[in-house]
Amino acid sequence: MNHRYRRRHISAATLVAAVILALLAVVAGSAAAQSQPAGDQVALRKLIADAVTSGAASVRIPPGVYRLGPDPAGTAHLRVKGAHDLEIDARDVTVILTDARTSGIFFQDCRKVRLRGLSVDCDPLMFTQGRVAAIEPQGQWYDLAIDPGYRDDAEAFANPRPMSIFEPGTREYKTGIPDLFLGRIEKTAPGHWRVYPVAGTPGRDRFPVREVRVGDLAAIPFFGPAGLTCRGCADMVFEGVTIYQTGSMAFHEHGGEGGTTLRNCRVMRKPGTTRLLSTNADGYHCKNMRRGPLVEGCLFEGMHDDAINVHTQFSRVLAADGETVWVVPMYEEPSKAGDKIEFFDQATMKSLGIYAIRDIAIDERRSHQPDAYALFPEMGRQPYNGWAYRLRLDQAAPVKYGDSMEALACMGSGFVIRNNTFRTHRYRSILATSSGGLIEDNHIEGCTFDAIALTPGGGQGGFARDIVVRSNTIRHTGMVPWHHAAIRVGLEDGPPRYASRENRDITIEDNLIEDVAGDGIMVSNAANVVVRGNTIEDVGLRRVSARVPAAIEVFAVGGVTIDSNTILATPAESARVAVDPKAAPGDVNVHGNRIEPARR
């Protein structure tokens, strides 16, 4: 019978062969530390490929540790292409990624694939760590003593991500220290490095260099491959998957129908080790997906960037001629014919209207030209950017060179982020510049920036709309000098744009916020926002900048209600609701809030 109609299981012969190879690998010694026979990765790839081509309903990976190098094509450690309606049972299976230049596990054009139980690690690790041994008095350089067992090959760190500083007693990020981008690394002796932060490191003018002390812990990652990537996929399920280390994101998806589920997954520092980091970038990065994810019951710990990031991207207008508009995306343009898009004036970030795409195509003639690259100067001139797309719209749009465009159909709309734990990681726990989403019952502790951020910017869109942030617990957040608030709605970067109110229809209710260096809740560039029933305590006890924070702060808004919140703030100057004096009557309605002495 045609396998489209009768689902089958993988053949017994193939399974037995893989089991034998796995057993031989285990007998060889510790899987985490020793190489496995080359046949392991060959058998693993064949096992999954046979399941895909045969139309099997499920495949069981034999327990064991599989050291993977690049596949024969050299593009991924393991590529799964065109799979559908398949369960991959990888309980008690660990995959070790060994090549820093090659993608990890890559799902391409897959549908309804469930991956269960897999663990992913790297060998060698794609970061190093140690202790601060000496400091130049003005912070021009730091000497590091590399911890035993961690990487000492300084030449591999020619283009590192920023160095992070941790408290030696708690292994938490140290308050008040910015990202220390490194311009140069010298290996002065085996196990000893001298690192030179670049002069233009953001925030260096906002913290005293004495805050870094001899004995502090330091970690230096570099950018490598993601652990699990989905491209062009739909209805993927990752259940009980654990990521201990990757060179960038743990889970990364872009350019597909979406509807991904992460359930009971863990991104974490590996137990039994002294590791300061898990991933070198985001825990879960969801970009340009047509349906948003469900993330529930997961742990996110030790990431060197955002824990969860759900967004589309702002493309920029290259030229316009009546109903034809040329745009340049930061990477790829996800839109297709029939999609709705929205344009924004770049200077004010006010909407220029919503339009429908009649057709879309790459315009080779306008691609990779100086004016295209100039729209995203931070990207440089690379083969993967500078592409120009020609859009024919349903009507003429009043746009000009440099204006922004948001792909409304590719925002990851309808996401749910529920009942997850976030702890001790760099940057934001949840960045959601999407629509129709729910963020509830999460526990967040020890993130360095804004814990929950609905803040488009930096090329990442779109505006946050129709989102509920409810019943989350946020503690001990805000270590970097540019930290704003535990929960923030607004615009991420650039000059103040007081005219923009494009974030809208947002409810922030029944959240508990304790020990935040900045504001408890900050709302700007928004309309129709309700801040209700939140408890905010100990705002501003730790200072990371000269700004005096407030329990709740609002500016550049319209139709905001602040109702029935309880503020237990110390010091007293932070126990307040700060409303922009520029607000017009009716822009902000404040009533029923209680200010009480802090609980002790």
Side-chain angles (χ1 to χ4, degrees):
M1 184 181 292
N2 190 313
H3 68 258
R4 291 175 58 196
Y5 302 98
R6 184 168 62 90
R7 308 294 292 164
R8 296 182 288 115
H9 290 268
I10 197 66
S11 70
T14 303
L15 183 61
V16 169
V19 169
I20 293 172
L21 288 169
L23 290 174
L24 289 172
V26 172
V27 170
S30 172
Q34 300 183 20
S35 297
Q36 304 301 313
D40 277 1
Q41 57 182 316
V42 173
L44 176 63
R45 292 189 182 104
K46 185 176 188 305
L47 193 66
I48 294 175
D50 287 350
V52 174
T53 57
S54 69
S58 64
V59 56
R60 175 71 165 108
I61 308 299
V65 177
Y66 296 79
R67 293 183 63 88
L68 299 185
D71 63 11
T75 58
H77 287 77
L78 174 64
R79 184 176 294 273
V80 182
K81 184 175 181 180
H84 65 90
D85 300 284
L86 172 66
E87 177 174 289
I88 302 173
D89 187 345
R91 288 173 293 177
D92 301 316
V93 173
T94 298
V95 163
I96 307 293
L97 308 178
T98 63
D99 191 287
R101 301 161 297 177
T102 309
S103 292
I105 301 171
F106 201 111
F107 292 91
Q108 181 177 349
D109 300 325
C110 294
R111 174 172 52 83
K112 295 184 178 179
V113 173
R114 179 188 299 268
L115 176 63
R116 298 178 60 197
L118 180 69
S119 296
V120 177
D121 204 351
C122 293
D123 185 17
L125 297 175
M126 298 184 196
F127 71 92
T128 194
Q129 65 182 58
R131 291 179 180 267
V132 177
I135 304 172
E136 194 277 330
Q138 300 303 314
Q140 300 303 307
W141 52 256
Y142 301 88
D143 282 349
L144 302 182
I146 303 301
D147 286 346
Y150 288 85
R151 296 186 66 155
D152 192 27
D153 51 341
E155 65 278 4
F157 291 76
N159 295 296
R161 290 173 59 80
M163 180 173 74
S164 294
I165 303 296
F166 299 80
E167 295 280 2
T170 63
R171 300 172 73 233
E172 296 177 348
Y173 281 85
K174 195 164 185 179
T175 294
I177 310 298
D179 296 329
L180 295 172
F181 290 89
L182 303 179
R184 185 158 54 101
I185 298 176
E186 294 178 359
K187 185 174 179 178
T188 56
H192 293 273
W193 295 9
R194 177 164 288 178
V195 300
Y196 296 82
V198 299
T201 292
R204 277 185 63 98
D205 59 336
R206 285 176 269 176
F207 85 107
V209 295
R210 66 177 180 271
E211 290 300 326
V212 181
R213 295 186 173 90
V214 171
D216 286 348
L217 307 181
I220 306 174
F222 63 84
F223 205 83
L228 293 163
T229 297
C230 296
R231 179 159 189 171
C233 296
D235 299 308
M236 303 290 287
V237 177
F238 298 97
E239 188 170 355
V241 174
T242 299
I243 308 291
Y244 293 123
Q245 221 279 294
T246 67
S248 58
M249 295 86 168
F251 300 90
H252 179 214
E253 65 173 349
H254 60 113
E257 291 298 318
T260 296
T261 296
L262 270 65
R263 182 177 292 116
N264 300 328
C265 293
R266 300 181 300 171
V267 180
M268 63 187 299
R269 295 164 163 171
K270 189 172 186 178
T273 74
T274 59
R275 295 182 189 180
L276 294 170
L277 302 180
S278 56
T279 68
N280 292 6
D282 296 353
Y284 171 48
H285 192 102
C286 173
K287 180 181 75 173
N288 292 341
M289 306 303 290
R290 291 181 172 269
R291 286 182 287 133
L294 166 63
V295 184
E296 63 178 358
C298 297
L299 167 65
F300 294 91
E301 173 193 67
M303 295 76 58
H304 202 247
D305 213 325
D306 304 326
I308 295 177
N309 186 348
V310 181
H311 70 102
T312 183
Q313 61 186 16
F314 286 123
S315 296
R316 303 288 294 279
V317 173
L318 180 64
D321 183 8
E323 297 175 359
T324 302
V325 177
W326 288 264
V327 300
V328 176
M330 183 174 285
Y331 297 106
E332 73 277 358
E333 173 53 52
S335 300
K336 61 185 180 181
D339 284 354
K340 295 290 183 67
I341 56 174
E342 187 169 5
F343 290 104
F344 300 91
D345 180 276
Q346 187 63 21
T348 64
M349 292 310 286
K350 291 183 67 174
S351 178
L352 297 173
I354 296 174
Y355 303 84
I357 299 175
R358 291 166 52 198
D359 61 73
I360 179 172
I362 291 177
D363 189 327
E364 298 276 0
R365 182 176 60 86
R366 289 181 176 264
S367 295
H368 307 304
Q369 299 301 311
D371 56 350
Y373 282 122
L375 290 167
F376 293 102
E378 69 275 16
M379 299 294 295
R381 298 190 177 196
Q382 304 291 340
Y384 53 75
N385 70 326
W387 289 100
Y389 290 75
R390 184 189 67 246
L391 282 60
R392 300 192 192 279
L393 308 178
D394 59 339
Q395 57 183 305
V399 298
K400 61 185 180 304
Y401 179 84
D403 285 342
S404 288
M405 187 195 84
E406 175 180 309
L408 296 175
C410 305
M411 299 177 65
S413 299
F415 69 88
V416 176
I417 301 171
R418 179 171 56 212
N419 193 30
N420 303 285
T421 298
F422 305 81
R423 62 189 185 215
T424 314
H425 70 91
R426 177 175 171 266
Y427 250 52
R428 295 155 293 213
S429 291
I430 301 170
L431 173 60
T433 52
S434 180
S435 65
L438 174 63
I439 301 170
E440 71 171 352
D441 293 324
N442 300 286
H443 185 96
I444 299 170
E445 187 162 359
C447 78
T448 68
F449 192 30
D450 302 339
I452 298 176
L454 312 182
T455 52
Q460 294 186 163
F463 283 96
R465 293 168 179 173
D466 188 22
I467 293 176
V468 175
V469 179
R470 180 173 62 210
S471 301
N472 302 282
T473 298
I474 302 171
R475 292 190 171 99
H476 190 58
T477 187
M479 288 76 172
V480 293
W482 48 88
H483 160 68
H484 300 98
I487 299 175
R488 183 179 176 220
V489 179
L491 286 171
E492 183 53 54
D493 52 15
R497 296 175 170 95
Y498 285 98
S500 178
R501 306 284 191 276
E502 301 302 337
N503 297 299
R504 58 176 179 259
D505 302 320
I506 296 166
T507 298
I508 302 170
E509 64 181 359
D510 299 330
N511 300 282
L512 172 61
I513 298 169
E514 296 179 340
D515 183 16
V516 56
D519 293 347
I521 297 171
M522 176 186 287
V523 179
S524 69
N525 304 108
N528 302 328
V529 178
V530 175
V531 179
R532 176 177 57 215
N534 302 283
T535 299
I536 303 169
E537 182 175 2
D538 290 346
V539 171
L541 286 179
R542 295 174 296 107
R543 290 293 181 86
V544 294
S545 69
R547 186 176 72 89
V548 177
I552 300 172
E553 181 177 6
V554 294
F555 59 94
V557 296
V560 171
T561 298
I562 302 172
D563 178 36
S564 302
N565 300 281
T566 299
I567 299 170
L568 308 122
T570 304
E573 62 263 28
S574 295
R576 59 195 171 96
V577 175
V579 177
D580 186 355
K582 298 178 184 178
D587 280 350
V588 182
N589 299 295
V590 181
H591 48 78
N593 302 287
R594 293 186 299 134
I595 299 177
E596 300 177 357
R599 294 192 298 263
R600 291 298 176 206

